[in-house]
Amino acid sequence: MVSEKEEFDVVVLGLGPGGEEIGQRLAEAGLAVAGVEAELVGGECPYWACVPSKMMLRASDVLAECRRVPGLAGTSHAEPDWAPVARRIRDEATDDWNDKVAAERFSGTGATLVRGRGRITGDREVTVEPTGDGAGEIRVLRARRGIVLATGTVPAVPPIPGLAETPFWTNRGAVRTEKVPESLIVLGGGAVGVELTQVFARFGAQVTLLESADRLLPGEEPEAGELLAKVFAEDGVTVRTGTKVTRVDHHGSAFTAMTEDGSYRAERLLVATGRRVDLAGVGVGAMGVDESAPAIEVDERMRAADGLWAIGDVTGQGAFTHMAIYQAGIARADILGEPGPLGRRHAVPRVTFTDPEVGGVGLTEAKARERGLAVRVVTGDLSGRGWIHGAEGFVKMVAEDGDDPVLVGASAAGPYAGEVLGMLTLAVHARVPVRELRSMIYAYPTFHRAVGDALKKMG
């Protein structure tokens, strides 16, 4: 049964971090807003990604720190126990994967929460079908001002023969597990793959990581992948890069991943080979947008078409919570007709929360050269603080050459690298001249002092 059409000023399709943010802000500004969500209000980040995964990493870091006591501070012993980690994720982070609090927060702003799977079915029109047991009627929502598309991404599962027929994990299965497997195969050496590899290895699993590219973290500087490969070897992880998986089987309680140079067996298999958008599934073609594109193209005000804005992962500008919320602010201002900053993407920060952390902003050296830029590149170690801490890492900065060079990209790896990245992000974002960065005073002994020491090498 289809309901009568319901009228709103704005319909937000998808209530992940960006959709939730813009829906609440528009409702607080006095607009009639409907937010459509098929799963949990808040999206991937608080229930299966950013928050619980960092809880897992924090726990594994504590174990690693305990093991570093000998040689620095005495003796120590730690026995890994997954139970408190699983309990903290279930009880503190996710409320046992219940979004009651988030839903009430959203509705409390005056916005209308519509549960179900939404699809654009006409100009400024969204049809919502009930999920779950299918009970309830189909609702048709009309948006006077327009639709905000914030539907995020889903795991990209590679077409490996046999894989689809197996009970493999994605990040959701890994986060919800109540038990650390004895052995684990991880497909993919990007951010999710390396983070979860380190977690389970430090909690006692025998982990094998298979990556088709020639290094870990292929989107980051090569030095980052080399550093993590060294750390993983020390943690007992088997890393195989440049490896193509040709088939996956599951028999009894074991997975087998076959490659061109051998096969690997484990109790569990985690697929962490990236994420993809489903533009056809949300019906963007009904508003004249190409449904076959890898992402939805937006302008500097987050407009995808007349009456359609897009924010977050679907734009392909960075699958990060901070990017979705940033874009939500830009789209909000445009919808309300308010002055506001235009969308900029030259300084999007990214952090992989392994130990050591790996952070980057802007262009890598390779990406800068691919764009035809003449660049100056400097790399330095963690300076005196690295030696004091007993830690390895680096900073690397890529500056566009010229009379007054500015950074177009920078990376940091080591303890608290995500925090060091803050100053580098500011430098890239504001296009601070290298001469100004070199003239700064850098506190000693800090990790960020490595930035100043490295810049001395830049002529």
Side-chain angles (χ1 to χ4, degrees):
M1 181 178 177
V2 180
S3 70
E4 294 291 327
K5 291 185 179 180
E6 303 171 60
E7 294 278 341
F8 295 90
D9 291 317
V10 175
V11 175
V12 180
L13 192 50
L15 293 179
E20 188 180 9
E21 171 74 10
I22 194 170
Q24 292 178 167
R25 299 291 83 82
L26 290 174
E28 289 170 346
L31 297 191
V33 176
V36 181
E37 178 54 57
E39 296 191 42
L40 300 180
V41 176
E44 196 79 9
C45 179
Y47 301 103
W48 296 288
C50 321
V51 175
S53 70
K54 302 314 169 275
M55 285 182 165
M56 296 161 69
L57 285 159
R58 171 60 181 151
S60 71
D61 288 349
V62 170
L63 289 174
E65 282 295 282
C66 184
R67 294 164 187 163
R68 292 175 182 134
V69 168
L72 288 175
T75 60
S76 64
H77 173 76
E79 193 69 32
D81 181 3
W82 188 252
V85 183
R87 183 170 58 249
R88 190 176 181 214
I89 291 171
R90 183 183 62 247
D91 298 344
E92 297 181 29
T94 68
D95 289 335
D96 201 13
W97 291 273
N98 184 305
D99 67 351
K100 181 176 182 292
V101 172
E104 290 177 348
R105 180 175 62 238
F106 184 78
S107 298
T109 63
T112 299
L113 173 60
V114 180
R115 300 277 190 180
R117 194 163 302 282
R119 178 180 170 83
I120 301 171
T121 49
D123 182 28
R124 307 180 197 222
E125 177 184 279
V126 173
T127 298
V128 185
E129 296 188 0
T131 53
D133 60 7
E137 61 183 5
I138 296 173
R139 300 174 67 173
V140 180
L141 316 178
R142 288 281 303 160
R144 290 182 286 266
R145 297 201 187 189
I147 297 168
V148 177
L149 185 65
T151 47
T153 54
V154 295
V157 180
I160 299 171
L163 178 60
E165 290 74 49
T166 69
F168 61 85
W169 274 351
T170 63
N171 65 303
R172 291 191 175 190
V175 165
R176 293 192 72 142
T177 188
E178 298 284 335
K179 173 181 174 292
V180 173
E182 291 185 6
S183 54
L184 174 68
I185 296 169
V186 178
L187 301 187
V192 174
V194 296
E195 286 182 355
L196 294 178
T197 286
Q198 189 166 66
V199 166
F200 286 112
R202 288 182 169 177
F203 272 89
Q206 184 61 53
V207 183
T208 299
L209 190 157
L210 307 176
E211 166 57 50
S212 60
D214 62 359
R215 65 178 188 269
L216 300 178
L217 295 181
E220 301 295 343
E221 297 286 5
E223 294 89 341
E226 293 166 7
L227 177 59
L228 280 189
K230 179 181 178 181
V231 170
F232 282 4
E234 293 170 354
D235 281 345
V237 175
T238 299
V239 175
R240 295 287 182 266
T241 55
T243 299
K244 180 180 179 180
V245 178
T246 57
R247 182 171 182 82
V248 170
D249 288 323
H250 181 259
H251 297 292
S253 60
F255 287 86
T256 302
M258 282 155 273
T259 70
E260 296 164 327
D261 61 353
S263 62
Y264 303 89
R265 285 173 56 84
E267 179 186 346
R268 287 285 183 182
L269 173 71
L270 169 63
V271 176
T273 49
R275 299 182 70 84
R276 62 177 181 83
V277 300
D278 182 12
L279 298 183
V282 295
V284 295
M287 292 189 68
V289 176
D290 182 7
E291 293 184 343
S292 65
I296 192 165
E297 187 174 342
V298 295
D299 67 10
E300 57 195 3
R301 292 180 173 83
M302 302 299 116
R303 300 170 183 167
D306 183 35
L308 179 65
W309 292 262
I311 61 175
D313 297 8
V314 294
T315 66
Q317 295 184 9
F320 311 115
T321 291
H322 50 270
M323 194 60 175
I325 293 175
Y326 166 76
Q327 292 176 328
I330 295 167
R332 172 200 168 278
D334 193 50
I335 291 168
L336 294 174
E338 297 177 351
L342 301 178
R344 302 165 72 186
R345 56 179 118 164
H346 69 286
V348 180
R350 54 196 184 270
V351 183
T352 300
F353 291 89
T354 44
D355 171 22
E357 291 181 357
V358 175
V361 61
L363 302 177
T364 61
E365 178 184 358
K367 287 293 184 183
R369 295 191 189 281
E370 284 175 16
R371 294 192 182 186
L373 299 181
V375 294
R376 302 182 190 181
V377 180
V378 293
T379 303
D381 60 24
L382 296 185
S383 193
R385 181 64 183 275
W387 175 77
I388 293 169
H389 205 86
E392 291 186 75
F394 66 89
V395 292
K396 183 173 181 177
M397 285 161 283
V398 182
E400 185 172 11
D401 210 351
D403 294 336
D404 201 10
V406 295
L407 295 184
V408 294
S411 299
Y416 316 113
E419 311 308 321
V420 173
L421 189 68
M423 69 168 296
L424 294 171
T425 299
L426 176 60
V428 175
H429 174 81
R431 295 186 170 92
V432 178
V434 168
R435 58 178 169 77
E436 288 293 338
L437 297 175
R438 292 181 66 179
S439 70
M440 284 175 54
I441 301 171
Y442 295 83
Y444 181 89
T446 60
F447 285 113
H448 76 257
R449 186 176 176 84
V451 173
D453 289 348
L455 283 170
K456 293 176 184 177
K457 303 177 185 179
M458 189 172 286

